Amino acid sequence: MSFDRPYLLLLLAAVPAAAVAYRLLRARPARHAIRYTNVDVLAEVAPRDRSWRRAVAGCLLLGSLAAAGVAVAGPHVTTSATSERATVVLVVDTSRSMQSQDVRPSRLAAAKSAALTFLERVPGRLRVGLVLFSGDVVVAAVPTREHERVRATVTAIGPYDGFGGTAIGDAVARATEVGLASLAEGDGGVPERAPPDAAEGLVSILFLSDGRQNRGLLPPLEGAGRARAAGIPVFTVALGSDGSGPPGAGRSFNGRWNRAPDPATLRAIARLTGGEFFEARDDVELTSAYADLGSRLGRVRQRSEVSVAFAGAAAAALLAAGLLGAWWSPRLP
């Protein structure tokens, strides 16, 4: 909680001061003594001790004073809420190594399933886009609130049939352009050049890869630098184990294939851009990561003033103290 006028919190010192003053007044000896010889009769007619009633009323009065002191200081709370302009760009590696079966039923199938889980978790107002990459980068779905369109595109992702390689840097840079364009164009098309304005707090990139950079024009950290300059965090997922897997899961042109992910590079991208890094060695870890991010991404932190709530609490406590005092006070028969 933060305050517009924190110096006014000094008024809260009146609360313990009032409590001490009340205790001192209650502890004063009586000024007048009454002589009465029949103590038994006096005990019967004297009012019963109701000190707990005074304590309740006193606590309500002190609570009212404290709430009023907080209210005048201008309290604000910071909450997380879905932004109407928020965008998440899903980036999925579709290179040939994604056919590996160390992640069941295959890396690509597990990635598609996790992306669908993500779409189920995200708020309906969130724009979601999809970028696919291997040696080249393709915008498969421009950011839109029509999640069914993105879901259909994810479901339709097929086995790799293009030019080989993994262009991580190019993919991050292109996803950055797509995210920035969504702020300028809404649900429309993606312009060739992204607008220069920053997207801090409004755009996030969820990047999945199972390999290491071996194609493309931009090195991974140079692509990440463009995301950082735009204020876009990149949440990275390294999919797969150490590269071992069933025979025949995939081969390179020379008969060998390094199918191990590159967690060091993906971790560096996340750190540079202010995102998070996840390592998923199986489909359970992958789905868990996407489900977690689906409930968090696309939200922005916003300050809300709550002075009215504290003022209302002060008024309610004061009214309750007055009503209880009137109800419990001695009355003439």
Side-chain angles (χ1 to χ4, degrees):
M1 184 180 293
S2 59
F3 298 89
D4 288 338
R5 300 171 293 277
Y7 56 89
L8 290 180
L9 290 175
L10 294 174
L11 295 174
L12 293 178
V15 177
V20 171
Y22 177 76
R23 293 291 297 174
L24 292 176
L25 288 174
R26 293 293 304 166
R28 285 189 314 170
R31 292 185 178 181
H32 306 283
I34 300 178
R35 182 184 300 172
Y36 199 86
T37 56
N38 196 336
V39 179
D40 293 334
V41 174
L42 180 62
E44 290 294 329
V45 300
R48 298 181 184 277
D49 182 28
R50 293 291 188 268
S51 59
W52 64 270
R53 292 181 175 179
R54 291 191 296 270
V56 170
C59 288
L60 287 172
L61 285 172
L62 292 176
S64 174
L65 184 61
V70 174
V72 297
H76 286 75
V77 295
T78 302
T79 58
S80 177
T82 303
S83 170
E84 293 287 348
R85 301 177 61 204
T87 296
V88 174
V89 182
L90 299 177
V91 184
V92 179
D93 187 344
T94 59
S95 60
R96 205 175 324 187
S97 58
M98 289 290 286
Q99 299 304 311
S100 300
Q101 297 174 1
D102 56 333
V103 178
R104 297 294 180 178
S106 70
R107 293 179 181 178
L108 183 60
K112 291 167 60 175
S113 177
L116 294 176
T117 298
F118 177 86
L119 289 170
E120 292 174 358
R121 294 293 183 95
V122 297
R125 294 178 294 172
L126 181 71
R127 291 191 181 96
V128 181
L130 178 64
V131 171
L132 306 178
F133 77 100
S134 53
D136 297 317
V137 183
V138 176
V139 179
V142 296
T144 177
R145 294 189 182 94
E146 297 179 19
H147 295 173
E148 285 300 326
R149 290 171 51 186
V150 184
R151 187 176 287 107
T153 305
V154 169
T155 303
I157 298 175
Y160 169 83
D161 58 0
F163 191 67
T166 303
I168 292 177
D170 291 1
V172 174
R174 186 59 174 145
T176 300
E177 294 177 358
V178 170
L180 288 173
S182 71
L183 299 181
E185 302 293 331
D187 287 340
V190 179
E192 288 298 320
R193 302 182 68 85
D197 53 318
E200 186 172 359
L202 294 176
V203 179
S204 304
I205 295 174
L206 177 49
F207 188 97
L208 178 144
S209 179
D210 75 332
R212 57 196 64 231
Q213 174 102 356
N214 53 24
R215 294 282 184 186
L217 300 176
L218 298 177
L221 294 186
E222 186 174 336
R226 297 189 181 186
R228 178 184 180 181
I232 299 177
V234 182
F235 297 79
T236 57
V237 180
L239 177 62
S241 59
D242 58 1
S244 60
R251 300 189 178 200
S252 66
F253 295 112
N254 60 9
R256 294 178 298 174
W257 200 337
N258 182 1
R259 290 171 290 164
D262 185 6
T265 296
L266 297 183
R267 185 182 289 108
I269 291 173
R271 185 184 302 116
L272 178 65
T273 60
E276 295 180 40
F277 168 74
F278 298 85
E279 196 163 10
R281 297 181 178 86
D282 55 42
D283 58 321
V284 175
E285 291 181 349
L286 179 62
T287 300
S288 176
Y290 270 62
D292 173 46
L293 291 172
S295 63
R296 292 193 286 128
L297 295 187
R299 296 181 178 273
V300 295
R301 307 289 289 175
Q302 59 183 20
R303 293 178 76 236
S304 302
E305 186 173 359
V306 290
S307 299
V308 174
F310 279 95
L318 183 61
L319 178 62
L323 291 176
L324 291 177
W327 178 263
W328 288 335
S329 62
R331 293 183 295 272
L332 293 174

